[in-house]
Amino acid sequence: MSAARVLTWEVSASRGFETAWVQVRDGVLRARGRAVGTEPEPYWVTYDLDAGDGFVTRRLRVTVETAGGSRTLDLRHDGGGGWSADGERLPAVDGALDCALGLCPLTDSVPVLRHGLHRGPGEVELLMARVSVPDLAVRPARQTYTHLRPGRIRYACGDVRGDLECDEEGFVVDHPSPARRLAAV
């Protein structure tokens, strides 16, 4: 793996922040991150994301802490289109290649990288295994990404629509949720 990049975003939608340590090499992404927010309730999140060959998500492990206690989720993709959460099958998201961790700009970089949308033309509509924060419920969601020009991608998911700004490596700089990257090292 290459040296880790450290990316930090201000996430207005949660009135919080996220920092991720990310390594990318040869179509593989590994990340670990932490986020804190106050909407919809005060919480903090820790996660580990593993996207294997061709930037296909293999596993997301998440822990959320709130005033009510902690929750964990171990979301796994079997490589053949099936998903499970904590060992239980999730047929509603079968066929998805990605997960989207709510209020987490990093997870939008995975499909952008896989399809090279930060660099060249294309449009994809993807089924996502969407993980809401802070309850960690997993639901299917359709997200569309359309290349507009290098570094700019039109994004749509439910009521959230707008343009993603990505850096030359495909990592989200600005997100219409809204979230804005503060630093990258």
Side-chain angles (χ1 to χ4, degrees), residues 89-163:
R89 291 258 313 118
L90 297 173
V93 294
D94 279 355
L97 297 179
D98 304 293
C99 64
L101 180 59
L103 306 171
C104 173
L106 176 68
T107 55
D108 280 302
S109 294
V110 177
V112 167
L113 289 165
R114 183 172 59 253
H115 295 282
L117 294 171
H118 59 299
R119 293 195 173 118
E123 178 176 289
V124 293
E125 181 182 330
L126 303 170
L127 174 63
M128 309 290 279
R130 185 152 189 76
V131 180
S132 61
V133 172
D135 66 354
L136 301 184
V138 181
R139 296 177 184 90
R142 293 268 173 207
Q143 293 182 191
T144 302
Y145 299 84
T146 306
H147 171 89
L148 299 176
R149 66 174 191 260
R152 181 169 277 216
I153 299 146
R154 176 84 17 96
Y155 168 88
C157 179
D159 294 339
V160 177
R161 298 176 188 284
D163 293 351

Side-chain angles (χ1 to χ4, degrees), residues 18-171:
E18 174 187 358
T19 295
W21 291 262
V22 184
Q23 292 180 301
V24 175
R25 191 179 77 196
D26 300 327
V28 174
L29 179 144
R30 303 231 190 299
R32 59 188 172 90
R34 292 191 173 96
V36 61
T38 58
E39 293 292 333
E41 68 179 288
Y43 68 88
W44 70 75
V45 171
T46 58
Y47 65 85
D48 290 290
L49 175 66
D50 179 10
D53 294 334
F55 297 112
V56 173
T57 301
R58 298 298 299 211
R59 187 175 190 187
L60 174 69
R61 289 180 305 253
V62 185
T63 300
V64 173
E65 299 279 339
T66 66
S70 66
R71 296 177 207 50
T72 61
L73 172 69
D74 187 2
L75 183 64
R76 294 179 186 235
H77 183 254
D78 66 9
W83 288 85
S84 64
D86 302 320
E88 297 292 321
R89 291 258 313 118
L90 297 173
V93 294
D94 279 355
L97 297 179
D98 304 293
C99 64
L101 180 59
L103 306 171
C104 173
L106 176 68
T107 55
D108 280 302
S109 294
V110 177
V112 167
L113 289 165
R114 183 172 59 253
H115 295 282
L117 294 171
H118 59 299
R119 293 195 173 118
E123 178 176 289
V124 293
E125 181 182 330
L126 303 170
L127 174 63
M128 309 290 279
R130 185 152 189 76
V131 180
S132 61
V133 172
D135 66 354
L136 301 184
V138 181
R139 296 177 184 90
R142 293 268 173 207
Q143 293 182 191
T144 302
Y145 299 84
T146 306
H147 171 89
L148 299 176
R149 66 174 191 260
R152 181 169 277 216
I153 299 146
R154 176 84 17 96
Y155 168 88
C157 179
D159 294 339
V160 177
R161 298 176 188 284
D163 293 351
L164 292 175
E165 294 288 337
C166 294
D167 63 19
E168 60 193 31
E169 293 178 300
F171 294 108

